[in-house]
Amino acid sequence: MSSRELLFELLCEELPPRSLQNLSSALSEGLAKAIDLKGIAHGKVHGFATPRRLAVVIEELAEQQPDRPLERRGPPLKNAFDAGGAPTQAALAFAKSCGVEVAALSQITTDKGAWLQFKGTERGAATAALLPDMINQVVAELPIAKRMRWGDRNAEFVRPVHGVVLMFGGQVVPAQVLGLPSGCVTRGHRFLAPRPIVLTGAKGYAARLRRAKVIVDFATRRRLIRDEVTAAAAATGADATALIEDALLDEVTALVEWPVAIAGQFDRRFLDLPREVVIATVQDHQRYFAVQGADRELSGWSVTVSNIESRDPAKVREGNERVVRPRLTDAAFFWEQDRNLTLSEHAARLGGMIFQKRLGTYADKARRVADLARIIGARLGAPDAERAALLAKGDLMTAMVGEFPELQGIMGRYYAEAEGQPSDIALAIEEHYRPRFAGDAIPASKTGQAVALADKLDTLTGIFAIEQRPTGAKDPFALRRVALGVLRILLEARLDLDLLEMLDIAAAAQPVQRPGVVDEVYEFISERLRGMLLEQAGTTAEMLDAVLALRPRSPLDAVARLDALKEFLLLPDAEVLAAINKRIVNILKKTQPAPQQAALLDGIVPDRVPDGVMLERLTEAAERRLHQRLRDVRDPVQRACAEGRYGDSLAALVNLRAPVNDFFDGVMVMDENLEVRNNRLALLREVQALLGGVADLSRLPG
């Protein structure tokens, strides 16, 4: 089947830089999926994106859908022909709907009867005829949070669209996309090549635009920017390197079509500012790449990426230097002014900043966090945790953090160091926000860990108390990230804290009290834990069900139980014991014990064990052997479990396999004698309790 290349391009006003890659991927993947659903063969799919365009090129796209066999079942034979063999109205109507005569129909017979059947071939549609609807559907489904209208049009898109290119081979495919007719005209660089470009097809699309000063491929443009920024930084001095973060590189790539790197300087007096302040000013606010020397100290140089090849680069350099100077001057002023007050004095003003209307101010939160941090700190050996928590939010009231919110915590550390606070307190102020994002480091210090946990647990219990838990894709308080932060700190720092106890304390301190909050937060954190552990090799959902059913009081304990369970399941007897436990659980679910034997005997029960089993009613040899084996293994199993030696506890259970099997083979549990029956059920409850000490084995398959 013959094929051609497809080119689709939307020429827009400047697209949001942080959304550009997602939009490009969604467009190319969406169009490829739509074509696949139509069964049309195609080759490689290439997505292109610049600040002013989204484009897709698909190689070797078949000109037509393949034909496909068509089968339709008609009326039953008994209803299709009359007694004389003439076709009935039902048969005639079915044949007409298939576009054939009754004689052209075949018959199909199954064990359920016989019917008329039509077999034919559905001709594939021309690809060009299908493209307009597919493209409009894909464009309508692009992940755009907020669409806009422009001019007098009803069409909506993320930015105004001024041109549509839709070409299949060398021909324009007629279509209306976002209210604009398709064509073959695109444009190059806004200033360097502003004239219209008439395309002759998809072949050479990227090369044609490159001649018009547009590097249309995002990855190619990104590599070029990295190389140019690296070279420009190296030219500023021996061993000088640019600080190139992926997020900034992606954003700059989405801002330019024809990148040109230019190095510039700023006054060296600004190097007395904290390093993060300079980087935030240069990088986050101006989208420049800071430069550092071999000693990893900032050099006073930065590299900007211009979107134009100027005849006078010095003017461009001068303009960029002039823009960054007042921003750094403001930062220097904030640095000086903020240090006129101590961090304690800044923290004292937190009463004027609302954390959440129903949960009070940041001063209220700081007090709650400090109280919890004191308790956690005592467990971790961090006596300064309470003091650090009281100061941790103080920098929110500083002018520097007001201008650079991304520096909260970092500036708190600098201000604490400047006024002579102990190093562990200063470090904890910065660390208590960690981990800020996936892959971020957890707090390294015990004080930082205590304050971070207290802060996160306070947030979780408070927001759940006011019933603002995440729903679907909405998580305005980032509680999923907060819960993952709690888990990462506890697991990676190997802190065996009683999570339920800490949640109880945190919930009790909230100004809003609501029953069930602790359980809700525990389940919320457990779901995050489930997701984390499922990523581990060899972990199954059933294993996690078995472990989490026991509501381990700490995530570290849950991991220890899971590891022991994995090892246990490698044993030959493990599957049998799991099946036995499931059988016992099913029996106990279906039965309710009669009133306790103690009431019948007026409280006088000879040789009775605490779970209600009476030795004198163990009449069968198999049940007596099972009871004796339980007494033999109970202490080592329970002692190992209490000491956290879960592997030893599970391994000891193997001794129960034979007596339990003998019990089920030789003993009728549901005996007609009520007292004997209840005694045997009590014996099974004892077996279940021992088998379920580490994990609920009944949750396992088998």
Side-chain angles (χ1 to χ4, degrees):
M1 184 179 292
S2 57
S3 63
R4 310 182 211 169
E5 283 193 319
L6 172 71
L7 168 63
F8 172 59
E9 181 195 70
L10 290 175
L11 191 63
C12 317
E13 292 186 12
E14 276 68 12
L15 294 161
R18 294 181 181 176
S19 304
L20 186 62
Q21 288 190 86
N22 284 339
L23 288 171
S24 178
S25 297
L27 181 62
S28 56
E29 292 170 8
L31 187 53
K33 182 179 179 180
I35 289 171
D36 289 338
L37 289 174
K38 294 292 185 182
I40 306 173
H42 63 84
K44 291 183 179 179
V45 179
H46 305 277
F48 300 102
T50 77
R52 299 175 60 214
R53 79 196 71 228
L54 294 170
V56 181
V57 169
I58 300 181
E59 299 178 6
E60 300 176 346
L61 180 62
E63 294 182 359
Q64 190 163 343
Q65 276 182 305
D67 297 342
R68 67 184 184 94
L70 184 64
E71 293 185 3
R72 290 179 59 191
R73 180 180 293 186
L77 285 182
K78 62 183 179 181
N79 298 331
F81 300 96
D82 60 20
T88 64
Q89 186 60 39
L92 293 170
F94 175 66
K96 183 177 180 181
S97 70
C98 296
V100 297
E101 298 294 329
V102 173
L105 298 174
S106 59
Q107 298 179 9
I108 180 173
T109 303
T110 71
D111 55 355
K112 295 183 179 180
W115 292 265
L116 281 181
Q117 183 184 43
F118 169 75
K119 286 187 175 182
T121 300
E122 183 180 37
R123 298 287 297 173
T127 299
L130 298 172
L131 283 171
D133 286 343
M134 286 192 292
I135 285 174
N136 276 295
Q137 182 67 27
V138 171
V139 170
E141 293 175 353
L142 288 178
I144 299 172
K146 189 174 182 180
R147 295 173 181 262
M148 62 176 294
R149 294 181 182 178
W150 60 96
D152 58 355
R153 302 179 183 275
N154 291 323
E156 296 182 346
F157 198 58
V158 64
R159 291 291 185 270
V161 178
H162 297 300
V164 176
V165 174
L166 181 56
M167 301 189 72
F168 190 33
Q171 298 178 342
V172 173
V173 178
Q176 287 281 326
V177 181
L178 295 171
L180 295 172
S182 59
C184 60
V185 178
T186 187
R187 290 184 178 273
H189 194 282
R190 188 187 296 274
F191 304 111
L192 300 178
R195 294 181 179 178
I197 300 170
V198 178
L199 299 170
T200 57
K203 287 187 180 298
Y205 170 71
R208 185 74 184 273
L209 279 172
R210 187 159 191 142
R211 291 195 296 273
K213 305 297 184 181
V214 173
I215 300 173
V216 73
D217 182 66
F218 190 94
T220 301
R221 202 164 64 251
R222 190 179 192 271
R223 286 193 298 269
L224 179 62
I225 292 172
R226 180 185 285 277
D227 292 345
E228 287 204 8
V229 169
T230 300
T236 65
D239 298 321
T241 57
L243 299 175
I244 303 178
E245 294 185 3
D246 286 342
L248 178 60
L249 182 58
D250 287 340
E251 188 171 0
V252 170
T253 304
L255 287 168
V256 298
E257 290 188 318
W258 190 253
V260 178
I262 299 174
Q265 281 184 291
F266 53 82
D267 196 325
R268 294 188 64 83
R269 67 186 175 91
F270 295 125
L271 295 178
D272 293 334
L273 292 169
R275 173 189 176 93
E276 292 86 353
V277 172
V278 177
I279 291 176
T281 303
V282 169
Q283 174 178 298
D284 298 342
H285 286 245
Q286 300 302 129
R287 308 299 186 267
Y288 300 172
F289 296 89
V291 178
Q292 65 182 11
D295 57 359
R296 303 185 64 82
E297 295 292 330
L298 297 180
S299 66
W301 285 87
S302 64
V303 180
T304 184
V305 179
S306 173
N307 190 34
I308 193 167
E309 198 170 20
S310 174
R311 290 189 295 269
D312 190 356
K315 288 290 185 184
V316 178
R317 179 183 300 109
E318 180 184 333
N320 283 291
E321 291 174 344
R322 185 171 60 250
V323 168
V324 77
R325 192 177 302 119
R327 300 304 301 260
L328 287 169
T329 300
D330 288 345
F333 175 76
F334 298 147
W335 174 240
E336 292 298 326
Q337 289 299 306
D338 287 341
R339 288 183 295 162
N340 288 333
L341 297 177
T342 66
L343 200 53
S344 295
E345 290 171 325
H346 284 300
R349 299 162 51 218
L350 285 170
M353 178 181 286
I354 298 295
F355 167 62
Q356 204 284 334
K357 182 171 62 175
R358 297 178 63 192
L359 299 178
T361 66
Y362 269 96
D364 299 323
K365 179 176 176 61
R367 184 66 260 171
R368 294 194 301 268
V369 172
D371 290 341
L372 184 55
R374 181 184 68 253
I375 296 170
I376 297 175
R379 310 283 174 88
L380 304 186
D384 290 333
E386 181 180 14
R387 175 65 178 163
L390 288 171
L391 298 176
K393 304 295 185 185
D395 65 350
L396 295 178
M397 304 307 297
T398 64
M400 185 74 82
V401 171
E403 181 69 15
F404 301 99
E406 66 273 23
L407 296 183
Q408 57 187 281
I410 295 171
M411 291 314 303
R413 172 173 63 84
Y414 278 110
Y415 293 136
E417 290 172 343
E419 67 182 55
Q421 290 286 348
S423 59
D424 67 322
I425 289 180
L427 181 59
I429 291 172
E430 176 182 358
E431 288 185 329
H432 90 281
Y433 285 104
R434 295 181 184 171
R436 297 170 185 254
F437 49 84
D440 191 20
I442 65 167
S445 69
K446 294 298 182 186
T447 304
Q449 291 166 6
V451 179
L453 287 170
D455 183 41
K456 291 170 172 56
L457 293 176
D458 176 80
T459 298
L460 284 166
T461 53
I463 301 303
F464 268 74
I466 60 173
E467 301 184 85
Q468 294 294 314
R469 64 175 296 159
T471 56
K474 294 183 179 180
D475 188 7
F477 295 97
L479 297 187
R480 294 186 181 95
R481 186 182 68 198
V482 172
L484 287 171
V486 169
L487 289 169
R488 285 194 55 204
I489 293 170
L490 292 174
L491 293 175
E492 293 177 28
R494 299 200 62 77
L495 305 179
D496 196 18
L497 284 177
D498 189 325
L499 181 59
L500 281 167
E501 179 189 2
M502 296 302 112
L503 289 173
D504 277 330
I505 296 170
Q510 298 300 325
V512 177
Q513 295 293 306
R514 185 173 65 81
V517 167
V518 170
D519 287 338
E520 290 176 17
V521 177
Y522 179 85
E523 292 302 323
F524 182 74
I525 295 175
S526 293
E527 282 303 308
R528 313 280 87 70
L529 178 62
R530 178 188 296 274
M532 291 173 65
L533 297 180
L534 270 175
E535 296 176 359
Q536 296 181 359
T539 301
T540 66
E542 292 84 2
M543 291 178 186
L544 288 170
D545 287 342
V547 169
L548 296 179
L550 272 61
R551 289 172 62 87
R553 298 189 71 85
S554 90
L556 201 62
D557 183 61
V559 171
R561 291 172 184 266
L562 177 63
D563 290 342
L565 181 60
K566 288 181 183 178
E567 291 295 322
F568 171 70
L569 291 176
L570 297 176
L571 299 176
D573 294 316
E575 187 175 346
V576 176
L577 283 171
I580 287 172
N581 192 54
K582 183 170 290 189
R583 182 176 180 181
I584 293 172
V585 169
N586 290 335
I587 291 172
L588 295 177
K589 279 182 180 178
K590 296 175 182 177
T591 59
Q592 292 296 329
Q596 292 296 314
Q597 293 96 324
L600 298 175
L601 297 174
D602 297 325
I604 303 173
V605 183
D607 200 9
R608 178 179 174 184
V609 293
D611 61 355
V613 176
M614 294 183 177
L615 296 184
E616 75 279 4
R617 289 187 180 149
L618 299 175
T619 58
E620 301 288 342
E623 59 183 333
R624 287 196 298 271
R625 286 195 298 271
L626 175 57
H627 183 263
Q628 183 58 48
R629 185 60 59 86
L630 282 171
R631 299 187 71 170
D632 293 341
V633 303
R634 181 186 294 111
D635 285 346
V637 167
Q638 292 180 341
R639 188 183 311 112
C641 196
E643 294 172 359
R645 294 184 289 109
Y646 299 124
D648 294 342
S649 179
L650 287 169
L653 294 175
V654 172
N655 294 314
L656 290 176
R657 173 183 174 175
V660 172
N661 276 336
D662 291 345
F663 175 85
F664 280 124
D665 288 342
V667 176
M668 173 65 70
V669 177
M670 306 307 290
D671 194 271
E672 293 181 358
N673 185 309
L674 186 61
E675 293 177 347
V676 172
R677 180 198 310 170
N678 282 344
N679 204 49
R680 289 171 180 170
L681 290 173
L683 184 61
L684 290 181
R685 280 197 297 276
E686 185 175 332
V687 175
Q688 182 200 9
L690 211 55
L691 288 173
V694 175
D696 183 355
L697 300 184
S698 69
R699 306 274 182 138
L700 298 174

